[in-house]
Amino acid sequence: MSSSSRCSLYAELLANIRQISLVASLTSPSDASTRVAVAADGSTVELTHHGEVHKISLPAKIPLGSTLLPIDQRQNGTTALSWRLPLGGTVPHPHLSSDTPAWSATDFDVGVQVACRNCNTVVVEEGTVKVWKDLPSENWAEMMEFWHCHKPDHHHEDGHEHGHSRDEHFGKADEKSLAARGYGASSIISAQPGVGFVDLTTILFTERDCQNITYSNSAFEQGSLNRQDLPLTNNRSLNVFCSSCHSQLGFYVFRTAAVTLLKWQMSCKSASGSAPGITECLAATIISTISRSASSKSLIMPINETESEVKQTVIYAWVLNANIVYSSSNGALGRPAIKLLYQKIPREEADKMLEAVTCEAQEINLPAIAIEKVVEHLDESNWLLPEKERVFREWRVGLLTR
């Protein structure tokens, strides 16, 4: 049943202005039977309309307990009622002050087992990983190259500066330190035995640290347990599947010599107790992209390196608010999310946008099947919104769970 066939409530926490936006969507114009009341504890709201009763738990408590919300005269007789409710005390939701992605290196104990999330088949055996390391930010190599090419000018007013210029001294010391950790400007981070590398969306291991996986240039049926048995159709990557349930777990990337496992396809005991899905991983990537580039627009493109990925759906996303918490009487309770505009566009159009000098959108790459799941998630979230807030010009409005 769509949300438009019955009354509903939608609440969104606007932490920056310390308010909650509340919207009641009605199946018929409001009249004397319409009442919207705040419960005594200020944490829930109840809508009554023509005998229908709907409740919603607010994203945060408000100091308006046992209050009947007034209906603005301009909204009387309409099917959409809205209020701005003041917050009381501090904003309680931890997601509003933390941008830490799910599953960082500090979440894992040494030796923890990694398995296929779909069937629990062990991929990295318990005791294999001796150390976990977070990979540096996505643009770390670019910044190191920029630093090497654009060192600050030397200032030698008296002909000396303690024997070395500031950039000379920093450059030699810092270069050695970075190189020792595998982060030098000219180096490529590659997989290491006994090390689990973690980034926003994937976990990297050496081939020999993994088991029960099948490599393929395309589908599972054309795969092999031995990577060397496969013909080399591209020099970038292979698909990696679970040998038991045939789920695609990730990729083997030649450049890093790493089995790159997608977080949302894996199961692993963590300190946070979380198990990030595709939406949480994408949300973390979008937030990181905004922080790095200051651009709120992204083109979410399919990884087009393997023959099995024939679908060319691209999501063009424009972030409105990266930090909301919302509740809906249709099934969501205090859920942190990114509120964004989105539309599906052809691959050819996305490629032209990226080639343009004036392009503001940042490219984000995901497997094609993951993009399809993201589209499904955004379409479902669109129905949670009040009907008049679901579309803006050629864009749809969606809520990407964080």
Side-chain angles (χ1 to χ4, degrees), residues 269-309:
K269 186 178 179 181
S270 66
S272 63
S274 63
I278 174 58
T279 63
E280 289 88 353
C281 291
L282 176 58
T285 303
I286 288 176
I287 291 171
S288 174
T289 299
I290 293 174
S291 176
R292 184 183 77 248
S293 67
S295 173
S296 58
K297 295 180 180 179
S298 297
L299 285 167
I300 304 167
M301 312 273 286
I303 297 172
N304 196 30
E305 298 175 350
T306 51
E307 296 174 7
S308 66
E309 302 213 344

Side-chain angles (χ1 to χ4, degrees), residues 125-203:
E125 200 166 33
E126 185 175 357
T128 300
V129 180
K130 309 303 180 187
V131 62
W132 292 94
K133 295 182 179 180
D134 283 317
L135 286 170
S137 62
E138 187 179 342
N139 66 330
W140 67 274
E142 295 174 15
M143 291 307 297
M144 282 301 296
E145 288 174 6
F146 178 85
W147 179 80
H148 275 271
C149 295
H150 302 274
K151 292 182 181 180
D153 293 332
H154 294 221
H155 299 287
H156 295 275
E157 293 181 5
D158 59 354
H160 303 281
E161 192 174 314
H162 305 294
H164 295 285
S165 67
R166 180 169 61 91
D167 59 299
E168 263 188 288
H169 177 77
F170 174 80
K172 291 179 180 178
D174 195 63
E175 235 180 302
K176 289 178 181 178
S177 173
L178 287 167
R181 288 179 287 168
Y183 295 165
S186 60
S187 69
I188 295 174
I189 294 179
S190 57
Q192 300 173 17
V195 179
F197 284 109
V198 186
D199 69 8
L200 292 174
T201 59
T202 61
I203 314 174

Side-chain angles (χ1 to χ4, degrees), residues 358-383:
T358 56
C359 180
E360 296 177 348
Q362 300 295 305
E363 181 178 358
I364 295 174
N365 297 108
L366 288 177
I369 191 170
I371 291 179
E372 292 301 316
K373 289 180 179 178
V374 171
V375 171
E376 290 176 11
H377 173 85
L378 291 175
D379 286 347
E380 289 173 2
S381 73
N382 180 261
W383 286 103

Side-chain angles (χ1 to χ4, degrees), residues 34 38 44-45 52 63 79 102 113 128 130 161 166 185 284 318 321 353 396:
T34 309
V38 182
T44 61
V45 170
E52 281 189 55
T79 58
Q113 173 184 285
T128 300
K130 309 303 180 187
E161 192 174 314
R166 180 169 61 91
W318 186 355
N321 190 334
M353 290 175 62
R396 299 190 77 188

Side-chain angles (χ1 to χ4, degrees), residues 73-386:
Q73 188 174 358
R74 290 169 296 180
Q75 296 180 342
N76 196 26
T78 67
T79 58
L81 309 176
S82 61
W83 298 266
R84 286 292 178 92
L85 310 176
L87 286 178
T90 58
V91 177
H93 212 288
H95 291 276
L96 292 176
S97 58
S98 175
D99 286 333
T100 304
W103 281 9
S104 62
T106 55
D107 276 325
F108 302 123
D109 290 332
V110 170
V112 72
Q113 173 184 285
V114 180
C116 169
R117 189 177 296 188
N118 186 55
C119 70
N120 293 321
T121 295
V122 175
V123 176
V124 179
E125 200 166 33
E126 185 175 357
T128 300
V129 180
K130 309 303 180 187
V131 62
W132 292 94
K133 295 182 179 180
D134 283 317
L135 286 170
S137 62
E138 187 179 342
N139 66 330
W140 67 274
E142 295 174 15
M143 291 307 297
M144 282 301 296
E145 288 174 6
F146 178 85
W147 179 80
H148 275 271
C149 295
H150 302 274
K151 292 182 181 180
D153 293 332
H154 294 221
H155 299 287
H156 295 275
E157 293 181 5
D158 59 354
H160 303 281
E161 192 174 314
H162 305 294
H164 295 285
S165 67
R166 180 169 61 91
D167 59 299
E168 263 188 288
H169 177 77
F170 174 80
K172 291 179 180 178
D174 195 63
E175 235 180 302
K176 289 178 181 178
S177 173
L178 287 167
R181 288 179 287 168
Y183 295 165
S186 60
S187 69
I188 295 174
I189 294 179
S190 57
Q192 300 173 17
V195 179
F197 284 109
V198 186
D199 69 8
L200 292 174
T201 59
T202 61
I203 314 174
L204 280 64
F205 300 99
T206 60
E207 191 172 3
R208 78 179 194 183
D209 284 347
C210 298
Q211 60 187 30
N212 299 319
I213 58 175
T214 297
Y215 303 91
S216 176
N217 283 304
S218 54
F220 173 84
E221 289 73 19
Q222 285 73 51
S224 171
L225 294 173
N226 186 351
R227 178 175 59 83
Q228 306 297 335
D229 292 342
L230 297 174
L232 187 62
T233 60
N234 73 73
N235 59 359
R236 294 184 178 181
S237 66
L238 298 170
N239 288 331
V240 169
F241 297 90
C242 172
S243 297
S244 297
C245 70
H246 307 177
S247 297
Q248 183 171 358
L249 302 181
F251 304 90
Y252 178 84
V253 181
F254 289 104
R255 186 170 66 93
T256 57
V259 175
T260 303
L261 303 176
L262 303 167
K263 284 183 179 180
W264 60 90
Q265 294 290 76
M266 309 311 299
S267 174
C268 188
K269 186 178 179 181
S270 66
S272 63
S274 63
I278 174 58
T279 63
E280 289 88 353
C281 291
L282 176 58
T285 303
I286 288 176
I287 291 171
S288 174
T289 299
I290 293 174
S291 176
R292 184 183 77 248
S293 67
S295 173
S296 58
K297 295 180 180 179
S298 297
L299 285 167
I300 304 167
M301 312 273 286
I303 297 172
N304 196 30
E305 298 175 350
T306 51
E307 296 174 7
S308 66
E309 302 213 344
V310 294
K311 294 182 179 179
Q312 295 295 300
T313 300
V314 175
I315 304 173
Y316 186 20
W318 186 355
V319 173
L320 300 176
N321 190 334
N323 216 5
I324 71 163
V325 180
Y326 73 94
S327 294
S328 169
S329 59
N330 290 320
L333 173 61
R335 187 173 295 172
I338 295 176
K339 191 172 188 178
L340 50 76
L341 303 175
Y342 73 100
Q343 56 180 291
K344 292 191 292 184
I345 62 174
R347 178 66 183 255
E348 295 76 14
E349 182 180 342
D351 288 337
K352 289 179 182 178
M353 290 175 62
L354 290 172
E355 291 169 3
V357 177
T358 56
C359 180
E360 296 177 348
Q362 300 295 305
E363 181 178 358
I364 295 174
N365 297 108
L366 288 177
I369 191 170
I371 291 179
E372 292 301 316
K373 289 180 179 178
V374 171
V375 171
E376 290 176 11
H377 173 85
L378 291 175
D379 286 347
E380 289 173 2
S381 73
N382 180 261
W383 286 103
L384 298 177
L385 293 163

